[in-house]
Amino acid sequence: MSNTTIHDKLKYERAKEYVDNLKEFYPHLISYLIMVPVFILINYYTTSFPWAIFPIAGWGIGVLGHASYVFNWNPFYNRAWEKRKIEELLNRDDF
């Protein structure tokens, strides 16, 4: 098996995994966007206490976490940080 074939197979597997993750993320996002107004309406018609903020915020944090996983986004450990850390480790004598 040639390196090109192995490379193409690995690339296909990464693409397939990404598409599978997208297929899981979009229904999560859509259900959240549908339920936010439902929470607000139920809250509006039942009580004056804004309890809807809590499930909306909690679920929103979950959606953001899911999005950061799917789209490989992390504001703290981004590619620039990763590159700096790798260079730092490569320059160490005891590593």
Side-chain angles (χ1 to χ4, degrees):
M1 189 178 266
S2 70
N3 286 339
T4 305
T5 306
I6 293 170
H7 177 69
D8 290 342
K9 185 174 182 176
L10 290 173
K11 191 172 181 179
Y12 174 80
E13 289 173 3
R14 281 194 312 254
K16 174 84 169 101
E17 181 181 356
Y18 180 73
V19 169
D20 290 343
N21 288 334
L22 281 175
K23 284 172 36 180
E24 293 173 2
F25 172 70
Y26 286 132
H28 187 192
L29 177 63
I30 290 168
S31 62
Y32 174 73
L33 294 175
I34 290 170
M35 290 305 295
V36 166
V38 171
F39 285 134
I40 292 171
L41 285 172
I42 292 172
N43 191 165
Y44 179 77
Y45 287 113
T46 59
T47 183
S48 62
F49 180 75
W51 59 263
I53 292 170
F54 302 111
I56 290 170
W59 197 349
I61 290 169
V63 169
L64 285 175
H66 196 168
S68 70
Y69 172 75
V70 170
F71 298 111
N72 198 21
W73 174 77
N74 188 331
F76 305 109
Y77 300 115
N78 56 24
R79 291 189 192 272
W81 174 88
E82 185 177 315
K83 183 179 178 184
R84 283 192 315 269
K85 196 64 176 172
I86 289 171
E87 288 174 4
E88 175 189 324
L89 291 172
L90 289 175
N91 290 328
R92 283 178 46 184
D93 291 331
D94 61 340
F95 187 72

